[in-house]
Every structure is written in structure tokens, then in C-alpha cells.
Amino acid sequence: MSGADNVVWLGTPAFPEAARDALADTRLRANLRRATGTIRDKRLAVAAELEDWEELRETAAAIKRHALRHLDHHLLRLEKAVTAAGGTVHWAADAAEANRIVTGLVEATGEREVVKVKSMATQEIGLNEALADAGIRAYETDLAELIVQLGGDRPSHILVPAIHRGRSEIREIFRREMGEWGRPAPDALTDDPRDLAEAARLHLREKFLRAKVAVSGANFAAADTGTVVVVESEGNGRMCLTLPETLITVMGIEKVLPSFADLDVFLQLLPRSSTGERMNPYTSLWTGVTEGDGPQDFHLVLLDNGRTATLADEVGRQALNCIRCSACLNVCPVYERTGGHAYGSVYPGPIGAVLTPQLVGVENAASLPFASTLCGACYDACPVKINIPEVLVHLRAEAVEAKRAARLLPTSEALAMKAAGAVLSSPGRLAAVQKVAAFGARLVGREGRIGFLPGPLARWSATRDAPAPARESMRAWWRRTRTTGRDESPTTAEGKEAR
Amino acid sequence: MSGRETVLSAVRTALVDVPGSESPDNAPVTHGRRADHAGPDIVGLFTERAAEYRATVVRVPMAGAAAAVGRALARTGARSVVLPPGLPEDLVSEGPWSRLKDVPPLTVNQLDAADAVITTVATAIAVTGTVTLDHGPGQGRRALTLLPDQHICVVRASQIAPDVPEALKRLDPYRPLTLVSGPSATSDIELDRVEGVHGPRVLDIVVVEDA
């Protein structure tokens, strides 16, 4: 499947290796802790303002569940409504097909550049690269995406993609790169966010004013009316959605809602969960084309790219409820320490750990279902109640099965488990092993902790510190101090066997 | 097979577990009893919440609307102001500003050069401090409220809906709709909020008591 190529970044290390490097970056960890902490507190405060927050979450989950269980029906209604309102609907089974459709539409206009609204779906299919191959330049217009694009970088957070960059780094990127792409940064550019935002405004304004074609994603689409929705803060979305002559929107098929009226639930949940605001500054809704206002040529590309495979999994399909708010990232103890790049995927954090392996096949992202402590904070935070821990456990089982099926010989982990089974099933063997372990712990332990084990155990010990076994086990202590002169309990019998 | 048939048949195959007796038209109830998030003073809540978004909000009687608009223009030193078709002309008093009309349509460069725009609204939302445009008479096409740096919005108190669900019910989904909550903003650089990246940097809301 060609779509897999971009959902996971080829050549990036598996999560455990990438995470080790990220953990060593103390500045990154400090940035992340401050960012996630800030958004987390804001989100809790505004969610608490709505006393029916839990009811809203239940309703949202129910609407999404219903929409997904009858997805074909709702997609056909959406197609009909958009077409009736003057738009054109395209269907793309995978990334290659979506890229072909969009490239063809841009080429038909004769234009060689497009402006883009931040979009997870177009990142997922690698649209910018596909357009570049056809000689078309795509300009990202969201400030964070601009920083990522100019820096030749990858996004690290769903909502604030450049969260891993500090202000002085951003200043350097602007000074170095803006001139290559258009209007250069002013000479006296400081690292004040106000100054940096102004530079981005001037740099992008000329592009907005001359752009003839725009590409966007979609947050929602209502099947009954054909209305498409984009929520944003900066106004770059409105620029792209209204100034050009042609608008091409790429939307995952799971974004469809049964009705326009359903939007009220999601417009209450999304901004509060995402940025911790009661409402985001700008929300644009449009239905087909409007004469004399905005693009006169509107194309909606409905994208599958692994979504139907996800839909087929009765446990995993709930991941398609996701409205990309990023609340799960901001509460995740693992994300907070590793950042988004470690996941090696367009979709980082807890939702990435369940969505990515499903979109690309578990065998292509086998480490991601394990990139979690299963603490459940993500499930608590999710406005559409995706039970992320449940899906993670489900996918772990699949990953293990896939690995087992692919191997001729059992893994060292499987052998270790088998040996552990044998030891734990016999009290005598356990006592013997405990004695050896207590002795061994004195060799490798430091201040009561084991940080490193030799040989085949090194892989296990490299990712965790374990307490060193006690010098004497509880059972041995009991035998030594309490059993003398008492009745012949099984414990003593075992003791003999062990000796 | 076309992309359309491929996707649709994949969707249907994926959903074999869904019993045929389950109707796709029986959407879950989403508009039952709802908690009231607005309280009794809807107008007061709207002005408070819109101001929290760093919009400049004033409440005036009907007769004071034009003066309030004039003060907002004077505050930023606007030299030119766009008047959408259908806007009551007496809302904009005489002053050191030129009036631009969108008939015939202004070019994007003319709009970019304009300092301010004045519009009415379709509805507003108290709980979120949002104004909602459906780009009908008095509001103009979408570009008008996007390119000039100051947007002055005249809201009649009776237009304010308590919350999002009620506001959406008042809107026509077949019109282009823009929900505006405060001026353009970004928090992309170290989460420091900065107003005015691409849209208007200044949002003035004049609430007119019409009851």
C-alpha cells in the first residue's frame, strides 16, 4: 500500500530507539513539559465550565459510532449534497490515487503553485512531495507549518506542529529560508513572537493575494447538507478557503457526520479539548460554491488510505472517531517525555499509537502499540471517548501474533517466558532461582537498583531500572525464623527439595 | 473499478458485522435536554466573553451606534473603511476616512489596502463570545472581513443566542458561514499568544440595545 509510505516516516528508528535519543534532549523535554502542562490546565478549566461535559462526550461518541457503522450511506448522501451545491466529489482508495487526483486538478488550472491550510490528511498522503514531483510548489500557510516547512523539518504535535522549536531557532530559520521561498524576513528581525508572527504575515500575504488554487483538509462534513467545516485560529484558513478561484479539499472518509445539526456537539467539544478555548477564533463553513463569493470551483476528495481496513476491526474502528484535537498527546506521560518525532509517524502520541499501526498495518509500525504505559489518561481526556488503552492492548496482541507467525524459531522473550513458567509453577525451583538471583543482584546491582544486565537480558534492562532482588526471599526468611519446631508444612518440604 | 466503487465496496465489506436491521437514518438523539450554559444575562455574558478574546466591546443604545463606530475608527486612525452592500449608511458618520463600496467588487489589493470594514452579523453566541456572519446584506462577501486590519461588528442585542446549538439552528447551512471569536491569533511560538497573524488584528464589537 503506497499510503503507508507517508503515514510512517521511512528510515526512522522504531519507537524505543527514537525515544532514547529524545529523552537525552533535556531542552526538548523542558519545552514539552511546559507546553503540555499549559494546554492541559486550560483544557480542564474550560471543560469544567460545561456541567454536561460527560453527556456531550457520550453524545459525540454515539454520533461518531453511528456515522461509522453506516459510513457508505452517509458518504453517498454527502456526495449528493456537495454535487447539488455545485461542488465535485472524487474518491481516492489510497495516497497515490489522491495525489494523482489533486495534481491533475491543479494542472488543469495551469497554475504552478498552491497555498495550503494545515491538514493532517494531506501530510499523511505526502501531497506536497507529490506536487513537487509534478513541478508544483505547495506553500504551507499555518505559522507552525511554515516553520516546519522552512526548516525542512517534520511536525511533532497535531495542534502545534513546531512545539519542539524555540523562538531563537525560529528566528534563524526565518532569516535563513524566507528569502528562498518569497519575501525575505526583515533585517532587524528579533526573536519576539510578535515580530516573528509579523514576518510570517508579510511573507505569506503576497502569496494569499496572488494564489489561484488552494488545498485544505476538513474537520467535519455534514452529510445532509454537504457543508464542509474548517476550524482555525490565524485566518490563513479563511484566506485559502475564500480568496483563490479553485479550492481542493482532501478529507478522510471518517470525517463525515450525519447532519449539520450534529456540528453543535463537536463545535463545543473540539476547541475546548484542543486549545483549551471556548471557541477557536475562526470557523469556516461552506456548502458547494456561492456565486460572487469565494472559489467558484470546489473539489472534495474523499480519502480511504487504510481507513476501511481500520473500520473492519470491530475493536480498533473506534480510533476513527478521532477529531484530531490532540488532548491525548497533552496528557500522555510518554509523549511528554519523548515528543512527537519519536513516534516516526504523521500521527504522534496515544492516538498515533493506535491509528498509525491500523492505517499502515501492525507489521509496519509494530513498536507503536507498546509506546504507552496504559495509564488511561488519554481515554479520560478524549472528547469522543476513544478507549485508547483497549485498542493498544488489542494491537499488542496482534503485533505479537504477527511476529510469532513470521518467525521460524521462538524469540528469546518467548523462551524466557517459557522458562519463567517452569520456575513459577514449582515452589522448589522458584526458591532455587531466588537464591541465585539474590547472589547475582549483588554483582550487577547498584544502590538497590539494577540498571544493566549482561547477555540476552541486556535488551530488557536497557529500557528500565529494576529493583535488585532482596538478599533473602520472603519465603526463605519465613522458613528460617518461623518454622523451627512447627508442624511439617509444605514450606519445609520445599526447603528440603531446594537443598 | 473506479476509486468510488473501490472505496464503497471496502466500506461495505468492513461493516459486515452491522446487522441489516439497523437503520442508518436513526441517528442518535443529539438535541434532547441540554444544560443551560448561558444563565439569565445573555447580553452581559456575550460582552464579557467577547472581551476575554481581546475584542473591544461596547454596549450602546440604538441612537449611539454611529458614534460608537466612529470612536472605534478614530481609535485606530483608520483612513479608509469598507461598507458592504446592505449596511445602513447612517452607521458610519462623517470623519477623516474614505468610504469604499463593494459594488462593483473591489479587488483583493484594494481590500488589502483598506484599513477597516464595518458589518452587521447573522447571529452571535453568548457562551463563547462569538459573532457569526452568513455574508448576507450588511455583511458582504467573505473577503471583506478578512483583508482589512480592523473589523467593526454591529450586533443587535436580540441577535445574541445563548449557546452554540441555538446559534446553529438560526443559521442557513446553504450560505457560507464564518464564526469569529476575537481577532486572528496564534500560539505557535512557545505557546505565546499573538494577535493578528493573517486575519484582522483588531476586532471591535458594538452591541446595540434594541429591546
Side-chain angles (χ1 to χ4, degrees), chain B residues 42-64:
Chain B
I42 292 171
V43 182
L45 182 67
F46 171 74
T47 54
E48 179 192 314
R49 294 274 163 95
E52 277 183 37
Y53 267 117
R54 303 191 199 175
T56 306
V57 192
V58 293
R59 276 175 84 166
V60 295
M62 188 68 102

Side-chain angles (χ1 to χ4, degrees), chain A residues 394-419:
Chain A
H394 172 72
L395 293 175
R396 284 182 185 189
E398 276 190 19
V400 170
E401 280 305 321
K403 207 167 162 187
R404 193 182 356 233
R407 275 174 182 270
L408 289 170
L409 295 169
T411 60
S412 52
E413 187 184 14
L415 289 174
M417 284 300 159
K418 208 170 175 188

Side-chain angles (χ1 to χ4, degrees), chain A residues 323-345:
Chain A
I323 55 174
R324 315 281 189 258
C325 71
S326 74
C328 62
L329 275 62
N330 300 324
V331 298
C332 177
V334 176
Y335 177 88
E336 185 177 301
R337 285 160 180 82
T338 63
H341 287 163
Y343 294 80
S345 158

Side-chain angles (χ1 to χ4, degrees), chain A residues 54-325:
Chain A
E54 289 309 314
E55 205 181 302
L56 279 169
R57 289 176 70 204
E58 291 286 355
T59 309
I63 294 170
K64 276 291 195 180
R65 194 161 49 235
H66 168 83
L68 290 172
R69 285 172 75 86
H70 303 283
L71 190 57
D72 51 338
H73 173 84
H74 298 303
L75 288 172
L76 287 172
R77 283 180 82 199
L78 176 68
E79 179 187 45
K80 200 172 157 194
V82 169
T83 309
T88 309
V89 175
H90 309 260
W91 301 69
D94 58 22
E97 190 168 13
N99 287 332
R100 209 160 44 236
I101 292 168
V102 177
T103 307
L105 289 170
V106 179
E107 281 172 341
T109 66
E111 294 295 315
R112 310 310 291 171
E113 61 178 36
V114 301
V115 285
K116 279 190 69 205
V117 195
K118 172 180 178 326
S119 147
M120 303 299 293
T122 59
Q123 244 167 46
E124 176 190 320
I125 61 175
L127 179 63
N128 291 5
E129 293 79 1
L131 288 173
D133 289 345
I136 298 161
R137 208 158 194 193
Y139 296 111
E140 292 292 346
T141 63
D142 170 81
L143 178 54
E145 287 292 344
L146 176 72
I147 295 166
V148 168
Q149 186 176 48
L150 292 179
D153 198 359
R154 281 171 176 155
S156 65
H157 190 284
I158 290 174
L159 174 73
V160 273
I163 198 68
H164 57 291
R165 294 285 196 188
R167 60 183 70 194
S168 55
E169 278 179 292
I170 295 168
R171 171 174 176 262
E172 281 320 301
I173 292 169
F174 278 12
R175 284 168 56 111
R176 196 176 63 233
E177 299 293 335
M178 267 186 174
E180 298 292 310
W181 292 75
R183 181 173 175 152
D187 288 337
L189 185 67
T190 74
D191 66 359
D192 179 357
R194 204 160 293 278
D195 226 23
L196 296 168
E198 179 67 19
R201 180 185 177 99
L202 295 172
H203 177 79
L204 287 171
R205 183 63 69 118
E206 59 164 12
K207 295 193 169 63
F208 288 134
L209 296 186
R210 69 164 190 245
K212 298 277 185 288
V213 185
V215 176
S216 86
N219 289 91
F220 309 103
D224 60 342
T225 59
T227 308
V228 183
V229 184
V230 164
V231 301
E232 46 129 4
S233 294
E234 296 175 4
N236 65 305
R238 293 179 63 195
M239 295 274 180
C240 295
L241 299 171
T242 57
L243 297 183
E245 292 160 9
T246 301
L247 171 62
I248 304 162
T249 299
V250 181
M251 177 186 120
I253 51 175
E254 81 284 13
K255 294 287 181 82
V256 66
L257 298 175
S259 77
F260 183 82
D262 294 325
L263 285 168
D264 72 31
V265 178
F266 294 93
L267 289 182
Q268 291 184 78
L269 286 171
L270 178 55
R272 286 177 200 261
S273 303
S274 177
T275 53
E277 295 176 294
R278 297 187 185 106
M279 188 63 88
N280 49 289
Y282 295 130
T283 303
S284 296
L285 303 94
W286 72 98
T287 305
V289 296
T290 306
E291 206 189 324
D293 186 354
Q296 298 300 297
D297 198 12
F298 169 55
H299 297 270
L300 181 63
V301 181
L302 298 174
L303 175 73
D304 179 346
N305 203 37
R307 285 161 177 76
T308 49
T310 309
L311 191 65
D313 184 327
E314 289 175 42
V315 178
R317 76 166 57 130
Q318 57 182 310
L320 298 176
N321 286 6
C322 177
I323 55 174
R324 315 281 189 258
C325 71

